[in-house]
Amino acid sequence: MESINAKYVSQKISKTRWRPISHSFLQQPDIFATGSWDNEHNKISFWSIGSHGSSAMEDEFEGEPQLSCEQKHDGDVLDLQKISIAQQWARAHRYPCDNAPCTGVVCSSPEIVTVGEDGRIIVFRADQEGVVRVIENADSSTIHAVTYLRTTEILTVNSIGQLKLWDFRQQSNSPSQILSLSGDRVPLHCVDRHPNQQHIVATGGQDGMLCVWDVRQGNTPFSLMEAHSAEMWEVHFHPTNPDHLFTCSEDGSLLHWETSSHSEMPSFLQGGRNSSMMSRSAMAPAGGNQSLINAWLSGDSSKGRLETSHMLPSQTLSVNSLDVLEQCLVCGTDGEAIFVNRQVPV
Amino acid sequence: MEEVDVEPVVTKIPAVSDGKHMGFAWGPGDILVYETLHKASGASGSGCSFIHEVRKDEDIYSPILRKLFNESHHIFVGLQTIREDLPSKSRKPQFVSISKNYRSVIRACMEELQQVAVSAKDGEAATQYGNQVSILLAIELIWNLCEVLFIDAAPAGSLLLHLLDWVRLHKADVDEKARDVLQSDSPAEHRDYWDVVMSYVLQGRLDEARQMLMKQATLQPAARNMYKVMDTLLSKMPFFNPSGTQTLTEFDVKWRHWHEEVDRCLQDNSFASNKHLEIICKLLLGDEDTLLEHKELLGTWYHFLVTRLLFCHPTVKPAELHYYAQSCMTMFLDSRSVPEPLDSILLAAFEFDIHQVIKDCSIALNNWWFVAHLTDLLDHCKLLQSHNLHFGSNLREFLLLEYAAGLFTHHSLWQLAVDYFDHCPEFGRVYLELQIERVPLDTERKALKVLRICEQRQMSEQVRSICKIMAMRALRNNRLGSALSWSIRAKDAAFATLISERFLQDYCTRGTFSDLDLIDNLGPAMLLSDRLTFLGKYREFHKLYEEKRFTEAAKLLLSLMTAKIAPRSFWMTLLTDALPLLEQKEVIFSADQTYELMYCLGELTSSLNSEAPDTDRPMQEEDIEVTKVELLRLALARNLAMAIVKEGTVGT
């Protein structure tokens, strides 16, 4: 806990993202961006931490984020992604009489996909000025988040509790698959895909439930876990160590989920360090086909071991966003504070 | 109506020309003012077309001071959760540490403002920052004194030590000067040297004074004895040790011994040859005239007070403070007639008149932040008597409400204000209910946050009203799915009915359903309103039809009418939908079902006929209606015939 740095920044933070680092240098991430919301003039700010050798950095402030540069932004910053070229596509999301907020953006260079409250999905290319493709009326309700499943497929979540799969190779404007929870249609706010296993997806909902889905089979989630007491704003798998999952929520807490399951399989059947572990659950298929089953899909969380720990020292206002890279975690809150933890146990 | 304590400040509106009238309207934290001409009778003229906004509190818009608000909010919430049932002995250190937290937040802000003020290029901005810095300095000074006197409530003996710390903390220029002196080539000959030594003595920092004096002593070997005497005197001054075994009386005795020794040294002229040392000796005796000669070194009357107490009455009791305070202030400020607001606030603090302190601070400052937080802390220490104000709530709650209401006018800090309202037991909820509805909702995310706040506090009316606003907006933009999800959240059956009507209208005009993904997946939300249930079931009928499960489709269709789920206006459409089923080669509707269909048709036509003939209805429409009814009658009759035959036939 002592490794957490808090800094008050006079703006409510809606999104934070680490700048991606090149893995070959084995660096620790040192620059992150934040976007503000609910200000008269919102801005995107870049912060750097860690000893750079840059001047005016005293030892006592090591680890405390320092502002590098800022950029004005119209409207609340609702999502941030790192791209090398920036362009502005004005009025991409709109209603008949108003501008509609764009709620999510995701990119897989050079394509950029955005979704908004107007239920549209728009595809841009970083080097083209116009819109590449629009899926009008993709959803009758607000689309809250989007993520890439494969290079040509995306997943969106909306405010009637549905997970929709879209395939860009098809020309039709309807989703190729719809998954939803049976029972109450609780809006889903965030979605993230497992870094290695592309069929495993985690979503967070308005009631704070964490759901893990298997996109290949069935249209109901594999496991539901009560995570928070209020809306879950972001869910992230750790990019290199996917046994770890992080969620943050309106109730002011940031949880770190760690799954590990006791394996009785002989070690030569276990995968390498980064792949999934065998689970002892009843889902192990019969016959000689020993497919690796991910620990997240063990269904019954008492079979595998799932540990949860709070990452923030005390209750704060809503934690709106988090990002994790290597061993560094950054999160932003409505209390106008940024917390940076550089020693996350992963 | 009570008398006004101070004359109100006059604010000039520069754009309104002389002689014109001004109209105004109150806002939550500001006033809107416009130029006008008010006549007793006849039309009133209008002046220029500008509206001016007059704002009292500029501080909440300062980015650096925002950190103060946020951090103190965090401390405030932590304070409220301290358990009441712990004995007061263990709670006092907690309160003291919370007070220190508040003060460190103020200091951090002050330092940042100082840096910005120094580096500001614009002269006006620099003065503004400078003003803010001095206000924060004053606030921290007052808070520190309140902590020493009220929260820590040090008894005699340690009281003086705390006051010494207080003064030392707020007279930082001594250290700067000392640094300059020590870094020079020959410290003992620096022009500020003796000033530094005297300042150390005045602040009771005798060890440092001795170290400085040693530098002088090495330069003047001839006067070594004198310096040695002074050194001994300085080293032997007793300081009360609160955690030691010595009682106050013993300390007092010891101190008097020392005092007499110093006096003896002065009387037998040990320091007669060195005027500086003689002055120091007189200072050690607490000689008023000598002290007053060094006004610039002291700087303020409260420094003078503490020094005098240090060297005359170190065992001062809290209750005796105000005598000394009053007399010191008078002696020090003889040139000025009216004391500044800060001086009267400090004097009120020395007199242990908490209410006067709070009142004076409220008047002097333009922001409720300081008085609200300080009063809250003092209230937790049970130091405020329940002082009923004319408007019902107690002082703490009144100040917190004022502060929070001011916060709510800020476009971003309103979220902090919610917690403050929560901890005002009497009126907080009412204030929150009124204010939360007026937060502008630009994006869904903000609306969700506001809703969460309302739901956590069971403010169901506000929940309904916010959901209705969002749903109406969605409806206006043709986002029917969003509108439906908002009305589900509010459990608003009437709105759900409205949305279903829209869907059905869309269907009637276009012949197909829009937003199939919504209707197909309604789930239990379908039960929210009858119309919604009908919509879901109707869509199910279409699905069954497409899957060619005709018998089930027929049963469903019939039940929609007989169970009265379908609205009467839609029956014609339903019956028309039944036509293709009736016209199938296979008999789908049984005889009983056909009877029921005919009954429904009969009911429908009779109600249509009983309506007053509308001459405006075009003949074409009437013809179509009549034709439809005829077709239906024919189809029903044919189906009935086939059904009777089929049911009467023995199965082959």
Side-chain angles (χ1 to χ4, degrees):
Chain A
M1 280 304 164
E2 305 82 31
S3 51
I4 292 194
N5 261 313
K7 184 172 168 81
Y8 284 87
V9 296
S10 304
Q11 42 181 322
K12 293 205 275 204
I13 306 293
S14 59
K15 278 290 173 192
T16 76
R17 288 284 178 266
W18 287 107
R19 186 178 75 166
I21 54 175
S22 55
H23 293 276
S24 54
F25 290 130
L26 287 179
Q27 284 172 315
Q28 290 291 316
D30 55 357
I31 295 189
F32 61 92
T34 61
S36 71
W37 74 286
D38 217 15
N39 260 345
E40 278 174 349
H41 303 286
N42 288 305
K43 45 190 192 218
I44 301 179
S45 321
F46 287 90
W47 307 79
S48 69
I49 56 171
S51 34
H52 266 223
S54 58
S55 58
M57 193 102 88
E58 297 170 25
D59 271 11
E60 332 158 9
F61 295 140
E62 192 190 296
E64 187 173 295
Q66 303 286 333
L67 185 59
S68 311
C69 65
E70 291 184 337
Q71 173 81 33
K72 279 211 188 327
H73 190 273
D74 286 328
D76 294 346
V77 177
L78 284 168
D79 206 351
L80 281 181
Q81 287 288 330
K82 184 66 193 158
I83 52 172
S84 48
I85 317 163
Q87 257 197 45
Q88 198 191 35
W89 289 278
R91 289 185 59 93
H93 281 281
R94 59 194 176 283
Y95 290 137
C97 35
D98 256 333
N99 278 333
C102 161
T103 51
V105 72
V106 72
C107 52
S108 141
S109 255
E111 268 190 2
I112 304 170
V113 178
T114 69
V115 292
E117 276 185 25
D118 54 353
R120 264 198 200 92
I121 301 179
I122 306 186
V123 184
F124 301 93
R125 281 184 76 92
D127 43 4
Q128 279 180 15
E129 218 180 276
V131 164
V132 169
R133 183 172 169 188
V134 176
I135 302 182
E136 292 274 353
N137 232 349
D139 208 314
S140 58
S141 62
T142 308
I143 306 181
H144 283 292
V146 64
T147 183
Y148 265 98
L149 197 61
R150 273 172 258 273
T151 40
T152 52
E153 290 180 8
I154 58 168
L155 261 178
T156 61
V157 288
N158 66 9
S159 62
I160 39 178
Q162 294 171 334
L163 201 64
K164 292 190 188 175
L165 202 70
W166 304 84
D167 194 338
F168 285 138
R169 291 170 298 195
Q170 294 173 9
Q171 279 311 306
S172 77
N173 275 355
S174 58
S176 49
Q177 202 181 350
I178 299 184
L179 304 93
S180 61
L181 273 167
S182 58
D184 274 330
R185 296 280 180 255
V186 176
L188 296 173
H189 284 294
C190 50
V191 64
D192 195 28
R193 188 202 78 190
H194 194 283
N196 306 327
Q197 313 239 305
Q198 291 179 336
H199 52 273
I200 298 180
V201 163
T203 63
Q206 196 171 80
D207 51 357
M209 292 276 252
L210 174 67
C211 306
V212 181
W213 310 67
D214 184 343
V215 178
R216 297 171 308 191
Q217 12 173 304
N219 59 356
T220 51
F222 235 84
S223 57
L224 292 126
M225 292 165 268
E226 262 187 42
H228 295 278
S229 53
E231 286 92 346
M232 191 190 300
W233 292 122
E234 283 206 25
V235 61
H236 280 278
F237 281 101
H238 191 280
T240 46
N241 209 335
D243 283 337
H244 297 262
L245 183 75
F246 296 87
T247 61
C248 69
S249 148
E250 173 79 20
D251 65 3
S253 59
L254 206 167
L255 291 179
H256 170 191
W257 304 73
E258 191 177 327
T259 179
S260 55
S261 43
H262 186 65
S263 165
E264 279 180 332
M265 289 291 152
S267 54
F268 64 83
L269 276 177
Q270 290 182 15
R273 195 185 144 273
N274 251 353
S275 65
S276 47
M277 308 244 258
M278 294 290 212
S279 125
R280 217 181 4 137
S281 72
M283 294 296 300
N289 184 13
Q290 301 281 6
S291 56
L292 292 172
I293 297 169
N294 191 276
W296 289 109
L297 294 182
S298 59
D300 185 359
S301 53
S302 62
K303 288 241 167 74
R305 259 180 320 140
L306 194 65
E307 280 170 29
T308 323
S309 53
H310 283 268
M311 301 277 331
L312 289 179
S314 59
Q315 203 76 347
T316 57
L317 286 180
S318 159
V319 181
N320 287 330
S321 171
L322 72 98
D323 197 17
V324 60
L325 197 58
E326 300 296 332
Q327 283 196 325
C328 300
L329 174 81
V330 64
C331 67
T333 69
D334 266 348
E336 306 194 357
I338 301 179
F339 292 86
V340 179
N341 185 343
R342 304 184 79 187
Q343 287 168 31
V344 177
V346 288
Chain B
M1 174 90 165
E2 290 210 3
E3 276 183 15
V4 185
D5 292 300
V6 290
E7 283 304 310
V9 176
V10 176
T11 311
K12 271 187 145 19
I13 312 283
V16 176
S17 26
D18 282 335
K20 293 281 189 162
H21 296 147
M22 282 199 298
F24 72 95
W26 280 107
D30 41 23
I31 311 178
L32 291 178
V33 166
Y34 56 93
E35 194 182 301
T36 183
L37 195 60
H38 182 79
K39 286 200 215 142
S41 64
S44 47
S46 60
C48 72
S49 54
F50 289 118
I51 296 183
H52 311 277
E53 187 185 347
V54 181
R55 216 186 253 166
K56 186 177 179 225
D57 178 15
E58 282 274 293
D59 286 343
I60 50 177
Y61 293 94
S62 150
I64 298 177
L65 284 179
R66 259 170 91 157
K67 300 189 201 186
L68 184 71
F69 298 126
N70 275 292
E71 290 201 60
S72 57
H73 164 262
H74 192 72
I75 303 174
F76 173 85
V77 171
L79 172 59
Q80 308 308 310
T81 55
I82 288 186
R83 292 170 41 201
E84 291 283 318
D85 51 349
L86 289 176
S88 58
K89 234 189 228 173
S90 59
R91 280 160 65 212
K92 190 166 93 149
Q94 275 185 310
F95 291 140
V96 173
S97 89
I98 285 180
S99 177
K100 289 192 157 71
N101 275 345
Y102 274 123
R103 279 174 39 223
S104 70
V105 168
I106 300 176
R107 286 204 97 89
C109 253
M110 197 160 58
E111 278 165 20
E112 210 177 316
L113 273 175
Q114 184 78 343
Q115 280 177 356
V116 175
V118 162
S119 61
K121 301 188 186 82
D122 181 14
E124 200 184 302
T127 27
Q128 198 187 29
Y129 286 130
N131 285 341
Q132 281 174 340
V133 170
S134 48
I135 291 180
L136 282 180
L137 260 171
I139 284 180
E140 210 256 319
L141 183 74
I142 301 170
W143 193 304
N144 201 344
L145 185 61
C146 290
E147 180 187 312
V148 167
L149 295 176
F150 306 141
I151 302 175
D152 215 350
S158 23
L159 175 62
L160 183 66
L161 296 173
H162 287 260
L163 284 176
L164 265 180
D165 284 333
W166 174 63
V167 161
R168 284 176 195 163
L169 196 58
H170 292 95
K171 198 102 180 59
D173 57 355
V174 175
D175 292 310
E176 271 176 49
K177 255 196 233 173
R179 239 199 323 267
D180 284 340
V181 169
L182 286 172
Q183 282 172 355
S184 72
D185 302 318
S186 171
E189 283 163 9
H190 199 279
R191 59 190 168 101
D192 285 335
Y193 172 79
W194 284 111
D195 280 345
V196 170
V197 175
M198 308 260 202
S199 302
Y200 278 147
V201 171
L202 288 170
Q203 285 190 5
R205 289 154 81 168
L206 300 183
D207 288 332
E208 287 160 276
R210 282 166 61 205
Q211 279 178 0
M212 278 299 228
L213 276 177
M214 271 212 288
K215 301 203 188 310
Q216 189 71 275
T218 49
L219 279 186
Q220 299 179 15
R224 202 185 309 164
N225 274 338
M226 218 173 15
Y227 279 94
K228 201 142 188 314
V229 171
M230 175 53 80
D231 194 67
T232 328
L233 281 181
L234 288 173
S235 65
K236 283 197 336 198
M237 175 168 181
F239 280 94
F240 182 66
N241 186 352
S243 48
T245 50
Q246 193 186 49
T247 66
L248 197 62
T249 342
E250 286 169 10
F251 164 73
D252 197 32
V253 166
K254 222 171 144 201
W255 185 82
R256 279 183 203 288
H257 273 301
W258 175 83
H259 192 88
E260 280 164 17
E261 205 180 316
V262 178
D263 200 24
R264 240 179 297 130
C265 285
L266 185 68
Q267 295 307 324
D268 50 345
N269 291 327
S270 322
F271 303 112
S273 47
N274 188 327
K275 89 165 149 66
H276 292 289
L277 288 181
E278 199 173 30
I279 293 177
I280 293 179
C281 195
K282 287 194 188 156
L283 290 178
L284 287 178
L285 283 175
D287 182 40
E288 276 169 25
D289 299 318
T290 330
L291 283 172
L292 285 173
E293 277 166 27
H294 291 91
K295 260 194 204 173
E296 332 81 52
L297 286 184
L298 288 169
T300 54
W301 64 270
Y302 40 92
H303 192 334
F304 173 51
L305 164 69
V306 174
T307 311
R308 192 156 155 249
L309 288 173
L310 173 66
F311 294 124
C312 301
H313 314 278
T315 55
V316 63
K317 294 207 236 328
E320 299 166 352
L321 266 182
H322 69 104
Y323 295 125
Y324 297 114
Q326 184 67 60
S327 64
C328 283
M329 194 164 97
T330 336
M331 277 194 269
F332 198 89
L333 299 176
D334 51 6
S335 51
R336 260 175 294 156
S337 48
V338 174
E340 291 193 347
L342 178 62
D343 297 326
S344 43
I345 294 173
L346 291 174
L347 191 62
F350 283 121
E351 289 170 2
F352 283 80
D353 190 352
I354 299 183
H355 288 282
Q356 189 65 32
V357 170
I358 294 172
K359 189 169 164 194
D360 286 342
C361 287
S362 312
I363 296 173
L365 299 166
N366 66 346
N367 183 295
W368 295 101
W369 178 87
F370 172 59
V371 283
H373 286 89
L374 183 63
T375 313
D376 174 62
L377 184 55
L378 293 175
D379 188 64
H380 271 91
C381 305
K382 306 259 188 296
L383 290 168
L384 290 178
Q385 302 128 353
S386 57
H387 190 111
N388 265 330
L389 301 172
H390 294 294
F391 3 91
S393 62
N394 63 20
L395 184 63
R396 167 188 172 270
E397 187 161 317
F398 170 71
L399 292 172
L400 282 178
L401 287 173
E402 288 291 316
Y403 172 63
L407 274 185
F408 235 105
T409 64
H410 191 269
H411 49 75
S412 189
L413 293 175
W414 57 271
Q415 267 185 301
L416 303 178
V418 173
D419 280 314
Y420 286 102
F421 282 136
D422 278 344
H423 291 107
C424 294
E426 231 179 289
F427 290 121
R429 197 189 157 89
V430 176
Y431 270 69
L432 184 59
E433 281 175 7
L434 289 172
Q435 297 267 24
I436 198 94
E437 281 187 318
R438 285 160 176 76
V439 175
L441 303 170
D442 307 316
T443 62
E444 273 201 16
R445 184 173 276 214
K446 189 161 174 188
L448 286 171
K449 287 185 189 260
V450 174
L451 266 180
R452 179 64 58 180
I453 292 174
C454 293
E455 278 174 1
Q456 276 172 348
R457 289 154 183 80
Q458 280 101 39
M459 295 182 177
S460 42
E461 219 181 278
Q462 278 70 28
V463 168
R464 257 203 305 276
S465 118
I466 291 173
C467 283
K468 200 162 269 181
I469 293 174
M470 297 306 290
M472 273 313 286
R473 202 184 286 176
L475 209 58
R476 193 165 52 112
N477 289 312
N478 228 3
R479 313 291 316 145
L480 293 173
S482 283
L484 189 63
S485 78
W486 285 112
S487 41
I488 291 175
R489 177 121 185 219
K491 301 196 193 358
D492 192 344
F495 214 86
T497 310
L498 195 72
I499 297 171
S500 330
E501 291 281 333
R502 274 285 278 268
F503 271 118
L504 292 170
Q505 267 172 28
D506 273 351
Y507 173 76
C508 286
T509 44
R510 276 193 282 163
T512 51
F513 283 109
S514 60
D515 303 319
L516 279 177
D517 60 342
L518 173 66
I519 310 175
D520 280 343
N521 296 300
L522 277 176
M526 224 185 350
L527 301 171
L528 186 61
S529 113
D530 281 345
R531 202 51 55 82
L532 203 55
T533 320
F534 167 65
L535 183 65
K537 294 280 174 201
Y538 189 50
R539 169 70 195 144
E540 211 180 302
F541 162 73
H542 278 269
K543 274 203 285 203
L544 288 172
Y545 190 91
E546 279 163 28
E547 290 166 16
K548 303 220 187 302
R549 289 153 67 179
F550 293 127
T551 337
E552 290 160 46
K555 221 187 304 185
L556 181 58
L557 187 64
L558 195 54
S559 66
L560 283 179
M561 282 192 279
T562 50
K564 306 262 187 286
I565 301 180
R568 192 55 79 84
S569 51
F570 220 74
W571 277 16
M572 202 40 152
T573 322
L574 290 177
L575 286 168
T576 324
D577 284 334
L579 256 182
L581 290 173
L582 292 166
E583 300 285 338
Q584 295 272 344
K585 274 213 206 99
E586 220 183 293
V587 171
I588 299 172
F589 285 102
S590 72
D592 287 328
Q593 287 176 329
T594 321
Y595 282 132
E596 285 185 34
L597 276 175
M598 292 164 96
Y599 180 70
C600 290
L601 181 60
E603 259 194 59
L604 192 60
T605 43
S606 67
S607 70
L608 282 178
N609 286 339
S610 62
E611 278 172 22
D614 198 352
T615 48
D616 287 350
R617 267 177 77 192
M619 286 303 295
Q620 266 186 332
E621 234 185 78
E622 272 204 44
D623 277 345
I624 293 177
E625 288 298 311
V626 167
T627 327
K628 264 200 234 173
V629 171
E630 291 301 316
L631 274 173
L632 274 169
R633 285 225 173 94
L634 188 59
L636 282 169
R638 281 215 287 255
N639 191 60
L640 186 59
M642 292 205 299
I644 292 178
V645 168
K646 177 177 167 207
E647 280 162 29
T649 316
V650 174
T652 48

